[in-house]
Amino acid sequence: MFSGVGEARSSVSRLAVNSSWPAGCNRRSHILRPVPPISAGDAGVGDKVFDSSVMRRLSLLAVLWAIIVVVAAEGLTINSCAYNEPQSPTVELNTNLTAFCILNQTCLRELNHPINSRELFWKVGNTVIPESQYTLVNESVSSVTFQPTLDMHNSLTCAFKAYGQTDVTLHGIYFTLGYPPVKPENLSCVCYNGKTLTCTWDPGRPTVMPTTYTLKQYWVEPDLLNNTEIVQNLTSDYPKIRRPSVSRNSAQRKDCVAEAEKRSCTLLFPDFSLYIDTTFLVEAANPLGRLESDPVQFDIIEIVKPDPPDIVSLSAVLERVLRIEWKNPLKLGELRYNIRYRPKGGGASWSEVPSDDLTKTRESFSLQELQPYTTYTISIRCKLIAARFWSEWSKEYTAITSESAPSQGPEFWRKISNARSDVGERVFRLMWKDLKSQANGLILGYNVTVKSGADVVRTLTVEETACNITVPKDSYEVVLTAYNSKGPSPPSTLIIPRVTDKVVQPADMNLRAFPKDGLLWVEWREPAGKVLGYVIEWCRNSLSMDCDAEWQREPSDATRTFLRGDIGPFVLYLIRLNVLHRDGQERSGTVAAYLQQGAPTIGPAVQTKSTGKTWVTLTWKPVPLSKQNGFITGYTIKYGDNYGTPKVIPVNATVTEYTLKPLAAKTAYSVSVTANTQEGGKAGLPLSFTTLPFDSGEVEAIVVSSCLGFLVLILVLSFLFCNKREQIKKHIWPNVPDPSKSNIAQWSPQTPSRHGSKPNPFQEGPFTDVSVVKITADEKPYDDQDLKSVDQMKTATSEGLSSGIGGSSCLSSPQLSVSESDGISCAQSTSSTVQYSTVIMGGYQGQTPMFSRSESTQPLLIAEERPDEQPPLPRGGGRDPQSNFTLEDEGRVQEPPAQILQLAGFSDGHDGNPDGPSQRDVVNDEQKTYLPQSARQGGYLPQ
């Protein structure tokens, strides 16, 4: 039960004191009165004077303390006038709890603080229970009914609101939740070696609350005076014959209370008794109930489980006998035993001594018919004859049996090398295996005897498991024995066939190999004829028997066996069965097998053998046998470019070369090859390649075709050139006139030069354009003044420029006149290049014009090129076009000198004319013309 003040007055509740006064007693004297204000002197400060602020603070604290004390006193008295029922209830889960809050109205009236039950409310922890679950019994009693759960707080309080605001707790209780116990089941007991008794049970559903489990035992004391049968049993055959139960004079023995959260309980001797029927049961109890299990009754001697016997000695006393000695764990009655043994190592199963040989109490036993020179592991257990429980197996001990002569000869085989034709001998290698369980001791060596018929050819003793023997090519019999300290083994024989005896493959052998139960089995059909036995050879990851083969020998009546050796998965085994006949001939068959197959470890490495424009030839090497992990069933070629969907092509397992086509020219591809077994596949590394832009031969064909076409074109052009030579010549090489036949070559000035020749200042100038000026002579007679001007012009042109026209000596000679040159042929002294001249400046009247020399090689006028083709001049006023201008023509020139000069490209100005054009203006105008050479009909102007 707890009490206190409400939540709003938590500080007050700490000062409240629980009270157990009876209801209705006078508590006025127990009300705490207000404390008067504390003064400075009462505080013990002596004569020190405090300031007003300190005094003010102390006054406030005193008032606050008085209020707290008053409220605490009020709460203390009020909550002492109420209590709850029931006190600390225990509630079963999934059921309702009803609690009552009872007010002592007499107590409340004495405190002058009446409370009605309507003002009360209930809380679980800090959670208010709804008013719908309240019941008002009367003005002093209020009850609440609700169903508690495990997630609720386990406190229940009733309270009211003081002054209508503050929650004040009147009284409260704690409740406990859980389930009542259920009936314990499966009660069983074991007495360990007669010293402790332990019983276990199943408690059933958890109760969620503390529950006590008590092991109880009852037994009946026998009435020996009135029950003679019991006396006979106790004195003669007990405990072989179970005595009858007695149901009188029951007596209770010591109980055993189990520890919390445990399902067992243990009694120590002598809290239990042997050789008497005892009843056991378990009682489960908690505040919600109490239940007992079904009783079980038995004599504790029947449930005794002894400790294992302790082996003290294990030794070999005879050739195949081991003697065991041990110490028994108890002496409560007759014991029986189990002895088990097995050879050490190899995972052999246990063998047990027949139980009929171990039915009496003893401390030793001899194991017989064991294997010689073999290490055995031995353990033992025991139990009481009247009990039902065996002890645990004792600790395992080992011992080795004595030696004896080997019980079986070694298995051996041979390898025959090629015969030496030069000496007529051959070498064969004998191989045999160590004797294991049949050795019966430590093998000291081996005796090898080679016979030819009844004659002994060779005898030798070796300690190894192989030897080489050189013999002729005949047939021989080899005898092999192994020996230890106790004697030799039975002989093993092997026939070495003659060289002429060929190995013949039997057609009806039907040899096959297959995995089964984690072993690799070999099966064959029994061949015709008498068989001495079989030898099975096998190689690992090899396609031929030319290897370091393992082998085993089988008897003549065997048609099926498994390979005895280190046979593992994912390894190819090439197996050969050799059939040994009595006539010395051997027949064999070969088969390949896997114990377990898987996907290859690596894929094939693909390469390009040759590449074309629309095809590629791929080649790859088979996966090595050690990496295949199974039989290759085929290959898968996967290829594609960077844009399209890859294509897949399956090929046979025997194919290692394949041509992909059609492909796109000059395109990059990626290809990979996957090796497949029946358990999966493994792809090799991808290979990238690019097809060619041209196939092989296409470039040669294009080059050859181009060369042939060019050759044909050359031949056609040559043929046309030969047949159309003249026409081609006219277009390529025009007909250039011969300067020697030109009229200018026969022309000479009329008036010799009066001055020395002057260098032409524009001889090397850039003036190359030449214009032709034709002068037409009219019939107007010339006067003396005009003729005089003409003479001056001729003199100037003859002296200054005649040497630059064609390089003619006739023009450059000042001594020759026109008339004097009639009889001289100047054609022989002129150059073939005709040089023209350009008039670059015309002078005033009475001045000499300037000419510029031209390097042009243009053809001359048609009249000059072909003078023989010119039409004849009229007889009346004409003259010979070959003749030059003579003095006789002067009379017929009627043009004034200015007009003539204008036609010749000279200026018609005169000296002293300020308005006339200057020489620079004349140069800029570049008035161009030929040197006046022709008259009306191709002659030259008079100069």
Side-chain angles (χ1 to χ4, degrees), residues 297-354:
Q297 182 179 346
F298 44 76
D299 188 348
I300 295 179
I301 196 66
E302 299 175 354
I303 57 173
V304 172
K305 181 177 181 179
D307 293 338
D310 185 14
I311 297 177
V312 296
S313 174
L314 186 61
S315 59
V317 293
L318 296 174
E319 189 173 281
R320 292 190 171 193
V321 177
L322 286 177
R323 181 176 178 80
I324 310 170
E325 295 181 358
W326 65 86
K327 183 178 180 182
N328 290 319
L330 48 75
K331 298 180 179 179
L332 295 177
E334 289 290 334
L335 298 174
R336 61 184 306 174
Y337 307 90
N338 275 157
I339 298 177
R340 63 179 185 179
Y341 61 94
R342 65 178 177 182
K344 184 178 180 180
S349 58
W350 291 97
S351 299
E352 291 188 6
V353 176

Side-chain angles (χ1 to χ4, degrees), residues 638-659:
K638 183 178 181 180
Y639 71 98
D641 54 16
N642 296 330
Y643 307 101
T645 302
K647 298 181 180 179
V648 177
I649 300 177
V651 296
N652 195 279
T654 59
V655 176
T656 57
E657 183 176 317
Y658 192 84
T659 300

Side-chain angles (χ1 to χ4, degrees), residues 599-806:
T601 304
I602 62 174
V606 62
Q607 297 177 344
T608 56
K609 183 178 182 180
S610 57
T611 307
K613 179 180 179 181
T614 60
W615 56 271
V616 65
T617 298
L618 304 175
T619 182
W620 61 89
K621 293 182 179 180
V623 179
L625 288 176
S626 60
K627 305 294 184 180
Q628 288 184 5
N629 300 339
F631 293 109
I632 300 298
T633 58
Y635 297 98
T636 302
I637 303 175
K638 183 178 181 180
Y639 71 98
D641 54 16
N642 296 330
Y643 307 101
T645 302
K647 298 181 180 179
V648 177
I649 300 177
V651 296
N652 195 279
T654 59
V655 176
T656 57
E657 183 176 317
Y658 192 84
T659 300
L660 298 178
K661 58 182 179 179
L663 304 176
K666 203 176 179 180
T667 303
Y669 287 89
S670 178
V671 63
S672 63
V673 178
T674 301
N676 301 312
T677 65
Q678 67 180 15
E679 298 297 331
K682 179 67 175 180
L685 295 176
L687 173 69
S688 298
F689 66 90
T690 304
T691 54
L692 301 177
F694 302 100
D695 259 335
S696 60
E698 284 189 1
V699 177
E700 292 81 354
I702 293 174
V703 172
V704 171
S705 300
S706 301
C707 293
L708 291 177
F710 184 73
L711 181 60
V712 170
L713 179 62
I714 295 298
L715 293 177
V716 171
L717 294 177
S718 301
F719 178 76
L720 294 176
F721 181 78
C722 294
N723 291 337
K724 305 293 183 179
R725 183 174 179 277
E726 295 299 329
Q727 296 180 6
I728 296 173
K729 183 178 180 182
K730 289 181 181 181
H731 292 83
I732 300 178
W733 299 289
N735 188 15
V736 179
D738 188 357
S740 63
K741 296 180 182 182
S742 175
N743 293 335
I744 195 171
Q746 302 176 4
W747 176 84
S748 63
Q750 179 180 1
T751 306
S753 176
R754 298 178 184 178
H755 309 283
S757 61
K758 299 179 180 180
N760 186 5
F762 304 100
Q763 186 174 358
E764 297 300 326
F767 302 94
T768 57
D769 295 335
V770 180
S771 62
V772 179
V773 178
K774 292 183 180 182
I775 302 175
T776 304
D778 53 356
E779 300 298 332
K780 181 179 178 180
Y782 300 99
D783 54 7
D784 294 338
Q785 186 178 0
D786 297 332
L787 292 176
K788 185 177 180 179
S789 301
V790 171
D791 291 338
Q792 294 176 358
M793 180 185 66
K794 290 191 293 181
T795 302
T797 58
S798 299
E799 293 175 354
L801 303 172
S802 61
S803 63
I805 304 175

